[in-house]
Amino acid sequence: MKLKKKHTSQNFEIVDSIGKYMDDDIQRIIEGKQLELGDRELPPFDEYRIYKNIQEAVMQEEKRKNRRIRMPLFFKWAVACIIALFAVGAGYNFYQSRCEANLVYREVCAVRGEKLLVLLPDGSRVWLNADTKLTYPEQFAKYNRDVTLEGEAYFEIAKNKKSPFQVFAENVKIQVTGTCFNVKAYPSDKVIKTTLDEGSINIGHIRSRRPMQQILPGQTAVYEKRSNVIKIKTDRYHDDASSWKGNQLTFRNASLKEVLTTLQRHFDIEIAVKNEKIASFTYNFVCKGNDLNYVLEVMQSITPVSFKKISEYTYTVE
């Protein structure tokens, strides 16, 4: 015996109305336009949950067919709406990715021998140390503020809990809503150091599924590039990390190579080591970075090394 169901004109008007809105939204997605949501925000799109719903609906339909009972019209539209939502969500994600792809990026470089202060679109301030590159969009996206760093910088971030600020430095991601911190991430260094002065930040490996680690004021996170391990420790000299902003050179148990690398960046010079035996020397001193000759004299007073000027920008040490 066949089941019959009487449909009123009102039922079909509702169906036609739903279909019209679905067709309009799908057409906007195809044309790459943003959906007209008014003051509403599209909720997070869970592709797996939607897929499971569709799968369950299909299985239920198969069972109904086996019983030779026709699927009610409203249930068919429910499945259709789920499929349409899947298309809308996918289209919205596609639209968002297109917006991200269309962002115009700026690249600011502080060459060797100079420092720069950069004002970001959200009002955040970033000081760039010598030989540093910062990449950021001319206008930040709605839900994130992402920048890429290569070198050393001090960040003073404008607070915005709805739009986290993220710094990407090689394989490290640093996330914050508003705070002050220093990041040293030169490609030639074996480690990436992040030192926090104010607020709170989270740090982690870009591709790791582990929860990000929290850093508190006065702590330094050291990421070892070779092992991909991040170690966080309390740093009694945490203020030293950003002392370069005030044109100060600070070295704490620093190797000769580390000191020379800093001097070459700071003064835009080249220093060649003529005697490898002096490579084991370490240095502890603080001085202003205005006078190269004075810095070299300090080093010569600490260890038995001798600097020689070859040209305006070239020196040797032995």
Side-chain angles (χ1 to χ4, degrees):
M1 178 178 178
K2 294 184 178 180
L3 296 178
K4 293 184 179 179
K5 184 175 177 71
K6 195 172 183 180
H7 302 290
T8 65
S9 59
Q10 185 178 9
N11 294 142
F12 287 106
E13 287 178 5
I14 294 174
V15 168
D16 290 341
S17 178
I18 295 174
K20 179 179 180 300
Y21 283 110
M22 288 171 56
D23 292 342
D24 290 345
D25 286 342
I26 292 173
Q27 184 60 36
R28 293 185 68 83
I29 292 170
I30 293 173
E31 294 175 357
K33 297 179 181 178
Q34 187 173 13
L35 297 180
E36 296 178 350
L37 300 174
D39 296 331
R40 297 169 297 163
E41 292 186 358
L42 196 68
F45 186 71
D46 190 340
E47 294 94 338
Y48 179 75
R49 180 177 60 81
I50 296 298
Y51 168 77
K52 293 296 291 182
N53 287 345
I54 295 174
Q55 187 181 50
E56 290 174 5
V58 172
M59 291 176 66
Q60 289 181 18
E61 167 62 357
E62 289 298 322
K63 291 180 180 179
R64 289 174 182 271
K65 284 182 178 180
N66 291 337
R67 296 192 198 128
R68 297 186 179 181
I69 299 177
R70 296 180 61 186
M71 182 189 294
L73 182 61
F74 79 89
F75 190 78
K76 289 182 179 179
W77 269 106
V79 176
C81 287
I82 290 175
I83 296 174
L85 283 173
F86 183 86
V88 169
Y92 181 78
N93 289 342
F94 172 72
Y95 173 80
Q96 287 293 92
S97 64
R98 283 190 59 184
C99 289
E100 295 289 338
N102 290 332
L103 290 176
V104 178
Y105 286 85
R106 287 188 175 182
E107 189 177 277
V108 180
C109 298
V111 299
R112 298 205 323 177
E114 76 170 17
K115 299 177 181 65
L116 292 177
L117 172 59
V118 181
L119 183 64
L120 298 181
D122 64 339
S124 298
R125 296 191 297 175
V126 185
W127 286 260
L128 304 184
N129 203 350
D131 198 18
T132 296
K133 179 172 66 176
L134 181 72
T135 305
Y136 64 95
E138 289 187 350
Q139 188 63 43
F140 285 122
K142 185 175 181 180
Y143 296 109
N144 61 71
R145 296 174 289 165
D146 294 350
V147 302
T148 302
L149 175 69
E150 185 178 301
E152 184 171 21
Y154 187 84
F155 294 85
E156 190 177 281
I157 304 304
K159 293 183 178 180
N160 187 342
K161 292 183 178 180
K162 294 183 179 180
S163 180
F165 191 97
Q166 296 188 122
V167 180
F168 293 88
E170 295 188 45
N171 292 326
V172 170
K173 177 173 68 175
I174 304 162
Q175 189 178 76
V176 59
T177 52
T179 190
C180 301
F181 58 100
N182 190 85
V183 181
K184 187 179 181 183
Y186 286 103
S188 59
D189 291 349
K190 296 180 180 179
V191 299
I192 294 176
K193 293 183 178 181
T194 303
T195 303
L196 180 62
D197 285 343
E198 298 178 15
S200 175
I201 60 178
N202 295 320
I203 186 170
H205 193 282
I206 291 177
R207 291 183 294 273
S208 175
R209 295 183 179 180
R210 295 180 179 178
M212 299 182 73
Q213 300 181 60
Q214 185 181 42
I215 308 178
L216 300 177
Q219 292 184 329
T220 294
V222 180
Y223 167 71
E224 298 176 352
K225 297 180 182 180
R226 179 175 294 181
S227 62
N228 287 331
V229 172
I230 298 176
K231 297 180 180 179
I232 299 176
K233 62 180 180 179
T234 299
D235 188 355
R236 60 180 296 191
Y237 298 115
H238 68 273
D239 290 336
D240 292 350
S242 56
S243 62
W244 58 268
K245 285 175 53 187
N247 198 35
Q248 180 173 291
L249 296 174
T250 304
F251 301 102
R252 304 282 183 187
N253 197 34
S255 67
L256 175 67
K257 181 180 179 181
E258 183 180 345
V259 174
L260 296 183
T261 298
T262 299
L263 296 183
Q264 289 176 123
R265 290 174 182 149
H266 186 83
F267 293 102
D268 189 20
I269 58 174
E270 295 294 336
I271 304 177
V273 178
K274 302 291 287 185
N275 183 359
E276 293 299 328
K277 293 182 180 180
I278 64 175
S280 61
F281 292 158
T282 58
Y283 297 84
N284 287 278
F285 69 93
V286 178
C287 67
K288 282 294 184 180
N290 299 323
D291 188 344
L292 173 61
N293 290 330
Y294 175 74
V295 176
L296 299 183
E297 288 176 4
V298 170
M299 294 182 66
Q300 290 175 148
S301 67
I302 296 174
T303 57
V305 296
S306 176
F307 288 92
K308 183 178 180 181
K309 186 175 183 178
I310 305 302
S311 65
E312 185 177 1
Y313 301 105
T314 306
Y315 292 75
T316 60
V317 59
E318 57 183 349

